[in-house]
Amino acid sequence: MSPLSTPFKNKSGQLIYTHFHMTNGYNNVSFKKPFYKMLIRLKVIIALTCVLSAGLVYGQGGTTLAEEYYKAGEFEKAANEYAKLLKTEVSWVRVSRYVTSLQKSNKGEEAAKYLKKQQRSDDANRAYYELLSGQLAAQQGDTIQAQAQYTTALQSSKSSIAKLEKLATAFNEVGEARWAVRTLETAREVSKDPTSYSEDLMALYRSTGQTEKAIDEIIITGKQTDKKETVLAALQGFINTKDEPLVEKALYTKIQQEPNELAYNELLIWYFVQKQKFSRALLQEKATDKRLKLNGSRVYDLGMLALNNKEYKAAADAFEYVTTTYPQGQLYPFARRLVINAREEQVKNTYPIDKLEIRKLIADYQRMLQEIGTNVKTLEALRSTANLYGNYLDSKDTALTVLDLAIDLGKTDKNFVDRCKLDKGDIYLLKGEPWESTLLYSQVEKSQKEELLGYEAKLKNAKLHYYKGNFSVAKDLLDVLKLATSREIANDAEQLSLLIVDNTGMDSTEAAMRWYADTELLLLQNKTDEAVDNLNKMLAKYGDHSIADEVLWLRANTYMKQGKNAEALEDLKKIVSAYPTDILGDDALFTQGKIYDERLKDKAAAMEAYQKVLTQYPGSIYGAEARKRFRALRGDTLN
């Protein structure tokens, strides 16, 4: 056997001999037939794999290699790689980066020659070369030539919407936003769709300082129902800026041009609501309702929104419109009650409260019940009537009788019955019968477990223990309510719990805290004169007690309810000067601002108070609102 002969076993264990001969530095191999065929097949597979792998590496990695060189600033190498890629496929990225790489490699002339040559030979991508030629001209200070090239690029693309879209993207990428705008405007003309490219144009108009066009574009886009959220977000960006007047002007113009386009009216109404101008929004809603015969539904919804925002007059006007315009409509019984309800809120929030106006409201409710009847739709009117009797006219027995009637009529509605029971509990508390109150509150707690109404009942029970001087029991209940799902209830519980903790334990009798709780009960019973007398005596006796600032705060708020603004301001100023670091300091300062702002119309004094909230109490919960009010009074137009 030759020393270069090697035995090889096949799968069957049979020996096959291979013979090797060296020729010209290569292995010239001869095999016995079975092995020879297998090896030839293997060589073919390896060869094909190598060819395919090379192609894949270049196809997948070629672009990456060019990008890597470009990003690393190796522009000469990048130019070489992009030149190779451009032979296989032309794209904006490849062309622009190739030209940039040439320029960065000090081959500007070569770049210019390339662009000229391609303009003549590559018609499909001519616009790219014309755009880049314009860029070269601009870089050399030849703005006229640059504009000419940009214009030519635009003209070259007019034959195809797809070309115009790509050109707009290219213009935007090279920082020519105004030419991107012109290109998209041309694309819109070619497409004959006046709403096409709306979102892109919105952004481009704004970025190029064409504010009026931007606003027009946003408003026009409002006609597309699927773009509503985008449009409102865009318009919101102009609210409280120097450009805000342009929004209102543009909306009115569009409404005049297209009076039957509901979208424009909706945007104007939305704008007025954002500015808390509910009366003006109502005028637009009424006009829209009459023109489109909407049966008052949108006016009714606006009335509800105004009511929730404490714009009681606008709410009453909205509901009044529904009742007078659609007396046979489905919304009539609800609007009929709500118009009185809105006026009721207006009366209850105007101090001092006018009892004559309260009697007028009761008469209005009674006329409504006679007209429509006492039924499911008017049950809330019975509740309102009862509470007006009990809370403002001291007619507690009448109030309880009306509530019993309401419970009997609404017995199929558990929530309504439970609300009436809470009202009855309140009336019994006013009558000085707390045991009846706690019985009713506890019934609602059990009926409405883990519900908002149940938490409200629990809070009322906690306050009842507080009024009775059972401070430890009250605090235990309040601590549970701090975790309530309702933020309002949780906050009320937190505040009352803190009051108890801060002002008990200083003396064994807790006399000051008991006196204070008694006074709060008097205020709950609308016995304001007696309450003020109590507070005066407390300040004389407990001027050095930790409760003194709370007494001043309660007296200030009582004076406000009596319409005694000067006296209220005096107490608020005492809190700020004597207890600046206590919990009520920022409350007192912010409330001063509100009195000057809303009641006395003293702009300068209001601004001073709001500014002090910002400077003296930077972490105050009133900070955002104080800043907003201060800027509004100063006439700012910035966000």
Side-chain angles (χ1 to χ4, degrees), residues 376-573:
V376 175
K377 295 178 181 178
T378 58
L379 285 175
E380 284 295 337
L382 282 175
R383 273 192 71 215
S384 296
T385 302
N387 287 317
L388 288 172
Y389 272 124
N391 290 303
Y392 298 98
L393 296 183
D394 202 25
S395 300
K396 302 177 188 68
D397 290 332
T398 303
L400 291 170
T401 301
V402 175
L403 284 170
D404 284 335
L405 174 62
I407 289 171
D408 184 55
L409 292 169
K411 56 191 170 188
T412 58
D413 184 342
K414 184 180 98 168
N415 287 339
F416 177 76
V417 169
D418 285 340
R419 286 197 296 273
C420 287
K421 284 184 176 181
L422 291 184
D423 293 339
K424 282 187 71 176
D426 293 345
I427 300 299
Y428 276 118
L429 189 56
L430 297 181
K431 283 188 74 176
E433 300 179 33
W435 292 113
E436 291 290 340
S437 297
T438 195
L439 178 64
L440 288 160
Y441 295 155
S442 298
Q443 286 177 6
V444 177
E445 270 192 64
K446 186 177 179 180
S447 169
Q448 298 279 343
K449 253 181 189 175
E450 305 305 322
E451 299 294 332
L452 184 60
L453 211 55
Y455 286 122
E456 188 178 339
K458 193 182 289 288
L459 180 62
K460 286 179 180 290
N461 250 332
K463 286 183 176 180
L464 188 57
H465 284 290
Y466 164 72
Y467 295 138
K468 289 161 63 179
N470 299 328
F471 299 128
S472 60
V473 176
K475 186 182 178 304
D476 288 342
L477 290 172
L478 292 167
D479 287 344
V480 172
L481 284 168
K482 289 178 189 178
L483 305 175
T485 52
S486 164
R487 183 178 175 183
E488 186 177 351
I489 288 174
N491 285 345
D492 284 351
E494 178 74 33
Q495 288 177 12
L496 186 52
S497 178
L498 281 173
L499 177 69
I500 292 170
V501 170
D502 288 347
N503 298 291
T504 54
M506 291 189 66
D507 59 77
S508 58
T509 61
E510 298 176 340
M513 191 71 234
R514 291 178 186 279
W515 200 353
Y516 185 87
D518 286 342
T519 306
E520 284 211 276
L521 182 57
L522 288 173
L523 286 171
L524 185 68
Q525 295 168 333
N526 288 313
K527 297 176 181 178
T528 53
D529 290 336
E530 290 179 48
V532 169
D533 186 52
N534 260 9
L535 293 168
N536 292 339
K537 291 174 181 176
M538 282 192 73
L539 283 170
K541 185 171 183 178
Y542 295 106
D544 297 327
H545 195 283
S546 64
I547 206 168
D549 60 332
E550 297 284 354
V551 174
L552 284 168
W553 174 248
L554 190 58
R555 189 170 70 175
N557 280 278
T558 307
Y559 281 143
M560 286 170 65
K561 286 185 177 181
Q562 293 176 321
K564 298 177 179 179
N565 298 319
E567 291 87 341
L569 282 170
E570 188 177 344
D571 278 350
L572 294 170
K573 288 175 181 176

Side-chain angles (χ1 to χ4, degrees), residues 88-144:
T88 60
E89 183 186 349
V90 175
S91 70
W92 162 251
V93 173
R94 290 181 178 183
V95 173
S96 62
R97 288 190 174 182
Y98 174 57
V99 171
T100 302
S101 296
L102 287 174
Q103 287 180 284
K104 298 281 188 180
S105 304
N106 297 316
K107 295 179 181 178
E109 289 185 13
E110 186 177 332
K113 286 178 183 178
Y114 167 78
L115 291 171
K116 284 180 182 178
K117 177 188 172 185
Q118 293 303 108
Q119 284 180 51
R120 292 192 298 270
S121 61
D122 185 2
D123 187 61
N125 298 292
R126 185 188 300 166
Y128 290 158
Y129 309 124
E130 289 165 341
L131 187 161
L132 290 167
S133 294
Q135 255 210 315
L136 289 180
Q139 289 166 5
Q140 293 165 6
D142 192 345
T143 55
I144 294 174

